[in-house]
Amino acid sequence: MKYVKALMIGSLVGGLLMLVVAASAEVPRKKLIKVGWDFPHPSYVAEHIREMEKEPFDGIIMDLRPMSNPLTKMRWDENWDHRWAQALWDGKWNQDKWAAELAALERIEWDKFTDNFIL
């Protein structure tokens, strides 16, 4: 009977200890990632990162497609017109078209945005 009582008290103390540890464990918070039709290019992000990080997001999605008209930043190379067609495109990747945007990725000085993606 003595051992049963000690086992019950030990189980109770152990259970309470486990509850205290579980209650004090930090629950990971959810992240809010900015997504929309206006995916910025890395070159834009590199120049405007402080302004962008004033928004209430934890990260962004960037568009890495090469720009055919750097002045308007709106017209794309004809091989890149449809975002979903890229998954099935069997053409050759021309890394020279990506060079400027890849270099811009290295210039971005991240601070608040911790979760960023390239589309």
Side-chain angles (χ1 to χ4, degrees):
M1 186 72 171
K2 191 183 211 182
Y3 295 111
V4 173
K5 190 175 184 180
L7 182 62
M8 289 176 64
I9 291 173
S11 296
L12 181 62
V13 170
L16 288 173
L17 183 60
M18 285 176 30
L19 282 174
V20 169
V21 169
S24 67
E26 186 175 323
V27 176
R29 71 178 186 86
K30 295 185 179 188
K31 304 281 184 149
L32 185 61
I33 308 299
K34 182 178 187 220
V35 63
W37 289 102
D38 59 340
F39 298 118
H41 282 83
S43 55
Y44 180 87
V45 176
E47 294 174 21
H48 299 93
I49 187 64
R50 294 289 84 85
E51 177 185 332
M52 294 174 71
E53 287 186 327
K54 291 178 183 175
E55 296 181 12
F57 299 107
D58 297 304
I60 58 172
I61 294 179
M62 291 178 282
D63 192 345
L64 196 57
R65 293 180 297 175
M67 295 180 289
S68 60
N69 185 344
L71 296 176
T72 63
K73 300 185 180 189
M74 294 299 287
R75 303 197 49 92
W76 308 107
D77 182 292
E78 61 192 35
N79 291 329
W80 296 87
D81 279 345
H82 195 275
R83 189 176 307 276
W84 303 111
Q86 294 177 38
L88 304 173
W89 185 53
D90 63 351
K92 245 185 165 175
W93 298 98
N94 183 350
Q95 193 164 349
D96 294 339
K97 288 185 176 184
W98 301 73
E101 295 304 321
L102 291 173
L105 281 173
E106 294 179 11
R107 290 194 319 269
I108 299 173
E109 297 177 7
W110 301 107
D111 183 27
K112 179 185 165 204
F113 289 164
T114 56
D115 299 87
N116 305 293
F117 303 90
I118 294 175
L119 182 65

